[in-house]
Amino acid sequence: MGLRRDITEGNEIQAGLRRNITEGNETQMGLRRDITEGDEIQAGLRRNIAEGNEIQTGLRRKITAGQFAEKVLFEEKELLRITLNCIGDAVITTDTSGTVTYLNPVAECMTGWTSAEANGLPLRDIFHIIDAYTRELAPSPVELVLQQEQSVRLAINTVLIQRGGTTYPIEDSAAPIRDQNGRIVGTILVFHDVTEAKEMAAQVTYQASHDALTGLLNRREFERRVEHALLTGKQDSKQHTLLYLDLDQFKIVNDTSGHVAGDELLRQLTGILQAKLRKSDTLARLGGDEFGVLLESCPTEAAFRVAELLRKTVREFRFVWEEKVFQLGLSVGLVTFSDGKETLGDVLRMADAACYLAKDKGRNRVQIYSPEDTGLALRHGEMGWVVRIQKALEENRFVLYSQKILGLNSLEDGDHYELLLRMQGEDGTLIPPMAFIPAAERYGLMPQLDRWVVTTAFSQYEGRHPPGTSVGTCSINLSGASVCDENFYEFVIEQFALYKVPPEGICFEITETSAIANLTQAVILMGKLKKIGCRFSLDDFGSGMSSFTYLKRLPVDYLKIDGGFVKGMVDDPIDKAMVEAINSIGHVMHIKTIAEFVENSAILDLLRRMGVDYAQGYGIEKPRLNCLSET
């Protein structure tokens, strides 16, 4: 019994051990499962950490990229701001409703508003523009841009009124600002002050219609007004009168005291004459000492009284220069027109003929044109000069004067001078060329005069340049008629052979007007004579609008700068600029330049500083008889 209890207890103990082992195994298995689950949790945590690191790295990249983009955008905006602040034009930007978002400094100055003040205001409040002529509000360029969705420009006569009341004539353009998708997100307005340009344009317009010396209207504008009067005379049956004025004895002032004195006389006298006329009357300088007066709505009788008043005014005028007192006269041709049958050329010719007749009748008088006087005017006017020129040729009453051409920046071997033609009257008085040259040109006598000049100049050459001395440069003027004369070249060759004058010592002068009017013939003649050694000078260069265009075709050696620019260059910056331009283009083309009308040392010094090659005028030498044997 006891043994059985022991066995039974042993079995129970053994069964308990087995249960404990089983429970231990289960516990061990649970621990293993817990370990496995822990490993999985740890692996999950590692994955989460790795993903977090990747997210963090991505965030860092995005932050870095965002910072870079922000920096680039800031730099671009700063560059744009600096650019807009630095440009010379005014700039205003707006949003799509026309509200201001920005003004650059120029816009701030012109509008009177700062960018901060204007920000958020309607454009109309700060950009106040009107029409210069009507003074009405001008259309808003921004509104036009937003309506039309394209760039626009303002009218030419737009004026900006500044906040303080100052006005600026402006030119501008406005354009839409679009995003990358092409949508309009605002507008930009760009404008600038054109005050200086307007003033320059007005000055150019004034110069195109006015005489630079006297300030009177010039010939071109005068003729335009006469043409308009012809039209109104026909339409409204009004009588208008034209006076053609020619100063008597004016050449004496120029010849004895120089062009400076002559210019001052014209300035003083024209001011006095202008004061004697109505505001509706037109006084113009037609050239030299010739003037025109247009008396609108003025019949012959009343016009004659005006002409007499002008004549007496000139006669009573005394011009004082360097202790010399000059008295002048005035010859006046008067023609009245009304029915429109006459042309501009007809009216000018009739007035000119009447003026010539006044001169032939003794000068200092008024001559009324009438058809009955036509033949008399021609006979006593230009035809009278034709007879006198021919008689002077027959009696050898023409003489040559010379005037020195001075080298300014280099020494030149030999004498350099220009020959000037003068006519002696039957009483021995010296007659200047402008008294007889116009008639000689009109009636075909210039080739005859030119040949006389060439022959006489060649015959006198050896006396002025004896054998063994340096070859001088003798400049001889040629007319347009001689340039076109097919036989002139052969005549010159004959004179070279007859008088043994070296061709390199002769320089022929052709005026710019004659050269351009006869361009083909001029180029041919110049080419032939240059082949044998002659030189050529283009006279009065700059007086025509097409000077530089034709210069390339003319094989000239010298450019003579028009004296009208030279004499005023010390005081007039435009004249100075013209002289500089002509001198510069001449030197670029390897052509030497000669300045005419050099009256004083101030002009001479300025020409030297500019680099002009030669100078000629009363400030260097007054014309003198070329050969004493000719007296």
Side-chain angles (χ1 to χ4, degrees):
M1 292 289 290
L3 180 60
R4 287 182 184 150
R5 281 195 306 271
D6 292 336
I7 292 171
T8 299
E9 289 177 357
N11 287 337
E12 289 175 357
I13 293 169
Q14 188 175 17
L17 289 172
R18 287 192 187 111
R19 283 195 302 271
N20 290 337
I21 290 171
T22 299
E23 290 175 356
N25 288 336
E26 290 176 355
T27 299
Q28 188 174 19
M29 289 177 64
L31 289 172
R32 288 191 182 121
R33 282 194 302 270
D34 291 341
I35 292 170
T36 300
E37 289 175 359
D39 290 341
E40 290 176 355
I41 290 171
Q42 191 173 20
L45 289 173
R46 290 195 188 98
R47 285 195 299 270
N48 291 337
I49 291 170
E51 290 175 358
N53 290 337
E54 290 177 0
I55 292 171
Q56 191 174 21
T57 302
L59 287 173
R60 288 199 187 98
R61 283 198 297 267
K62 289 179 180 180
I63 291 170
T64 302
Q67 290 173 339
F68 179 77
E70 185 179 0
K71 180 182 178 183
V72 170
L73 181 60
F74 174 79
E75 290 176 349
E76 289 178 350
K77 286 184 176 181
E78 187 66 12
L79 179 61
L80 178 60
R81 186 186 66 81
I82 293 172
T83 301
L84 292 177
N85 286 348
C86 292
I87 64 174
D89 286 351
V91 177
I92 299 176
T93 60
T94 75
D95 59 20
T96 54
S97 64
T99 299
V100 174
T101 57
Y102 170 78
L103 276 73
N104 76 340
V106 179
E108 290 180 330
C109 179
M110 290 184 66
T111 63
W113 292 80
T114 66
S115 186
E117 290 174 328
N119 189 34
L121 295 178
L123 179 67
R124 276 284 188 190
D125 289 355
I126 67 162
F127 189 67
H128 187 199
I129 53 176
I130 61 173
D131 184 281
Y133 298 130
T134 66
R135 311 306 290 180
E136 296 179 354
L137 286 176
S140 169
V142 168
E143 291 178 6
L144 293 175
V145 167
L146 296 174
Q147 290 170 6
Q148 301 174 14
E149 297 188 356
Q150 61 182 6
S151 299
V152 299
R153 300 189 69 87
L154 280 189
I156 295 175
N157 301 311
T158 300
V159 172
L160 170 66
I161 302 179
Q162 191 195 47
R163 191 179 188 180
T166 304
T167 59
Y168 299 96
I170 63 169
E171 290 180 359
D172 78 344
S173 62
I177 301 174
R178 300 179 185 272
D179 63 14
Q180 59 186 2
N181 298 316
R183 291 191 301 270
I184 295 177
V185 295
T187 65
I188 182 168
L189 177 66
V190 181
F191 56 98
H192 60 278
D193 182 6
V194 293
T195 301
E196 186 176 349
K198 291 275 187 183
E199 290 174 351
M200 290 184 64
Q203 185 177 14
V204 170
T205 301
Y206 179 87
Q207 290 172 346
S209 60
H210 288 74
D211 173 56
L213 175 65
T214 63
L216 299 177
L217 295 180
N218 59 21
R219 188 182 193 97
R220 179 185 301 174
E221 179 63 18
F222 182 74
E223 291 180 353
R224 188 191 68 78
R225 295 196 180 191
V226 174
E227 284 185 320
H228 182 264
L230 284 165
L231 182 61
T232 60
K234 181 178 180 180
Q235 292 176 343
D236 305 332
S237 298
K238 292 182 178 179
Q239 284 189 319
H240 309 301
T241 299
L242 174 65
L243 305 181
Y244 197 99
L245 317 179
D246 194 324
L247 294 178
D248 302 324
Q249 310 304 323
F250 175 73
K251 294 289 189 285
I252 294 176
V253 179
N254 271 345
D255 291 343
T256 60
S257 300
H259 290 283
V260 173
D263 289 349
E264 180 58 28
L265 185 157
L266 291 177
R267 279 191 288 265
Q268 292 183 19
L269 188 56
T270 52
I272 295 173
L273 293 177
Q274 185 76 71
K276 301 296 182 180
L277 298 171
R278 303 172 300 175
K279 289 184 178 180
S280 59
D281 298 332
T282 300
L283 174 63
R285 186 185 182 197
L286 305 182
D289 58 353
E290 296 178 346
F291 300 85
V293 179
L294 176 61
L295 305 173
E296 298 188 53
S297 301
C298 188
T300 302
E301 185 178 347
F304 182 80
R305 290 195 295 269
V306 174
E308 270 294 307
L309 175 62
L310 297 179
R311 185 193 65 78
K312 290 179 181 178
T313 300
V314 172
R315 192 61 180 170
E316 294 170 359
F317 174 72
R318 297 293 182 270
F319 177 66
V320 180
W321 185 266
E322 296 179 348
E323 299 182 354
K324 296 179 183 177
V325 180
F326 297 92
Q327 183 180 19
L328 292 84
L330 184 68
S331 297
V332 184
L334 184 155
V335 59
T336 301
F337 54 94
S338 62
D339 55 11
K341 292 181 180 179
E342 303 91 351
T343 65
L344 172 65
D346 293 335
V347 173
L348 292 175
R349 278 193 296 272
M350 289 187 289
D352 184 46
C355 185
Y356 266 113
L357 185 56
K359 284 181 173 294
D360 266 18
K361 285 183 176 181
R363 299 174 182 268
N364 192 40
R365 64 183 62 224
V366 179
Q367 178 66 45
I368 300 175
Y369 177 87
S370 67
E372 292 77 16
D373 288 334
T374 304
L376 185 63
L378 289 174
R379 180 162 60 85
H380 289 285
E382 290 186 337
M383 285 301 294
W385 274 112
V386 171
V387 174
R388 294 171 67 180
I389 291 170
Q390 291 174 331
K391 189 175 181 181
L393 282 169
E394 293 170 359
E395 296 175 355
N396 198 30
R397 283 192 283 106
F398 283 97
V399 293
L400 290 180
Y401 274 63
S402 69
Q403 188 175 40
K404 183 179 182 62
I405 298 175
L406 176 68
L408 298 183
N409 299 299
S410 63
L411 296 177
E412 182 177 2
D413 292 333
D415 205 4
H416 192 168
Y417 55 95
E418 178 186 1
L419 294 181
L420 307 169
L421 181 63
R422 301 288 187 266
M423 176 180 172
Q424 286 182 328
E426 292 180 342
D427 60 355
T429 58
L430 205 61
I431 302 172
M434 289 312 296
F436 59 88
I437 290 296
E441 289 177 335
R442 185 169 298 184
Y443 291 95
L445 296 178
M446 283 309 300
Q448 197 172 348
L449 287 177
D450 284 346
R451 290 182 181 225
W452 183 91
V453 171
V454 170
T455 298
T456 306
F458 280 28
S459 67
Q460 295 175 355
Y461 188 89
E462 186 175 352
R464 185 152 182 170
H465 307 279
T469 61
S470 299
V471 175
T473 301
C474 172
S475 292
I476 301 173
N477 291 282
L478 292 184
S479 66
S482 291
V483 170
C484 297
D485 185 353
E486 296 179 354
N487 299 317
F488 185 75
Y489 171 75
E490 286 73 20
F491 164 76
V492 173
I493 295 300
E494 291 172 2
Q495 303 309 303
F496 275 124
L498 180 62
Y499 293 102
K500 310 301 180 185
V501 174
E504 60 269 23
I506 300 298
C507 176
F508 290 106
E509 286 195 16
I510 303 176
T511 65
E512 177 193 359
T513 305
S514 296
I516 292 174
N518 310 284
L519 187 61
T520 302
Q521 296 93 330
V523 172
I524 293 173
L525 178 64
M526 294 169 74
K528 289 180 179 179
L529 290 175
K530 282 181 71 69
K531 282 184 179 179
I532 66 172
C534 295
R535 285 171 284 172
F536 277 87
S537 178
L538 194 60
D539 200 9
D540 295 335
F541 188 79
S543 59
M545 296 300 291
S546 303
S547 304
F548 297 106
T549 303
Y550 293 101
L551 181 58
K552 291 184 288 187
R553 294 191 58 187
L554 296 168
V556 298
D557 304 278
Y558 303 95
L559 287 183
K560 299 194 79 172
I561 304 171
D562 187 88
F565 300 122
V566 175
K567 63 185 180 182
M569 63 185 290
V570 173
D571 300 315
D572 190 332
I574 296 177
D575 286 346
K576 180 183 175 184
M578 285 296 297
V579 174
E580 288 176 327
I582 295 172
N583 184 57
S584 177
I585 196 69
H587 287 171
V588 168
M589 300 179 70
H590 305 291
I591 301 173
K592 293 183 178 180
T593 52
I594 303 173
E596 299 176 298
F597 288 14
V598 179
E599 305 291 350
N600 52 55
S601 58
I603 296 175
L604 192 62
D605 292 339
L606 184 54
L607 291 170
R608 277 199 175 97
R609 292 197 298 271
M610 284 184 180
V612 174
D613 300 299
Y614 299 90
Q616 178 183 359
Y618 277 67
I620 297 168
E621 180 186 78
K622 292 184 178 181
R624 60 186 178 88
L625 199 63
N626 186 53
C627 182
L628 295 179
S629 63
E630 290 298 309
T631 57

CSV table of all heavy atoms in Angstrom, one decimal, residues 28 44 143 236 296 301 341 458 611 615:
chain,number,residue,atom,x,y,z
A,28,GLN,N,8.6,29.4,-23.4
A,28,GLN,CA,9.7,29.6,-24.2
A,28,GLN,C,9.3,30.0,-25.6
A,28,GLN,O,9.8,30.9,-26.2
A,28,GLN,CB,10.6,28.4,-24.3
A,28,GLN,CG,12.0,28.6,-25.0
A,28,GLN,CD,12.9,27.4,-24.9
A,28,GLN,OE1,12.4,26.2,-24.6
A,28,GLN,NE2,14.2,27.6,-25.0
A,44,GLY,N,10.5,47.6,-38.2
A,44,GLY,CA,9.6,48.6,-38.6
A,44,GLY,C,10.0,50.0,-38.2
A,44,GLY,O,9.9,51.0,-39.0
A,143,GLU,N,-5.8,102.6,-70.7
A,143,GLU,CA,-7.1,102.1,-71.0
A,143,GLU,C,-7.2,101.6,-72.5
A,143,GLU,O,-7.8,100.6,-72.7
A,143,GLU,CB,-8.1,103.3,-70.9
A,143,GLU,CG,-8.4,103.7,-69.4
A,143,GLU,CD,-9.3,104.9,-69.3
A,143,GLU,OE1,-9.9,105.3,-70.4
A,143,GLU,OE2,-9.5,105.5,-68.2
A,236,ASP,N,-11.0,135.6,-104.3
A,236,ASP,CA,-11.7,136.7,-103.6
A,236,ASP,C,-11.7,138.0,-104.3
A,236,ASP,O,-12.2,139.0,-103.7
A,236,ASP,CB,-11.1,136.8,-102.2
A,236,ASP,CG,-11.0,135.5,-101.4
A,236,ASP,OD1,-11.9,134.7,-101.6
A,236,ASP,OD2,-10.1,135.4,-100.6
A,296,GLU,N,-0.6,142.6,-99.1
A,296,GLU,CA,-1.9,142.0,-99.4
A,296,GLU,C,-3.0,142.9,-99.2
A,296,GLU,O,-3.0,143.8,-98.4
A,296,GLU,CB,-2.0,140.8,-98.5
A,296,GLU,CG,-1.0,139.7,-98.6
A,296,GLU,CD,-1.2,138.4,-97.9
A,296,GLU,OE1,-2.3,137.9,-98.1
A,296,GLU,OE2,-0.4,138.0,-97.1
A,301,GLU,N,-2.3,152.4,-106.0
A,301,GLU,CA,-2.1,153.7,-105.4
A,301,GLU,C,-1.6,153.7,-104.0
A,301,GLU,O,-0.7,154.4,-103.6
A,301,GLU,CB,-3.4,154.5,-105.5
A,301,GLU,CG,-3.3,155.9,-105.1
A,301,GLU,CD,-4.6,156.7,-105.2
A,301,GLU,OE1,-5.6,156.2,-105.9
A,301,GLU,OE2,-4.7,157.8,-104.7
A,341,LYS,N,-4.3,135.3,-113.3
A,341,LYS,CA,-3.8,134.9,-114.6
A,341,LYS,C,-2.2,134.8,-114.6
A,341,LYS,O,-1.7,134.0,-115.3
A,341,LYS,CB,-4.2,135.9,-115.7
A,341,LYS,CG,-5.7,135.9,-116.0
A,341,LYS,CD,-6.0,136.9,-117.1
A,341,LYS,CE,-7.5,137.0,-117.3
A,341,LYS,NZ,-7.9,137.9,-118.4
A,458,PHE,N,46.1,133.8,-118.1
A,458,PHE,CA,47.3,133.0,-118.6
A,458,PHE,C,48.4,134.0,-119.0
A,458,PHE,O,49.6,133.8,-118.8
A,458,PHE,CB,46.9,132.1,-119.7
A,458,PHE,CG,46.2,130.8,-119.3
A,458,PHE,CD1,45.6,130.7,-118.1
A,458,PHE,CD2,46.3,129.7,-120.1
A,458,PHE,CE1,45.0,129.6,-117.7
A,458,PHE,CE2,45.8,128.5,-119.6
A,458,PHE,CZ,45.1,128.4,-118.4
A,611,GLY,N,41.3,123.0,-87.9
A,611,GLY,CA,42.1,122.3,-88.9
A,611,GLY,C,41.7,122.6,-90.3
A,611,GLY,O,42.1,121.8,-91.3
A,615,ALA,N,42.3,129.9,-95.8
A,615,ALA,CA,41.4,131.0,-95.5
A,615,ALA,C,41.5,132.1,-96.5
A,615,ALA,O,42.6,132.4,-97.0
A,615,ALA,CB,41.6,131.5,-94.1
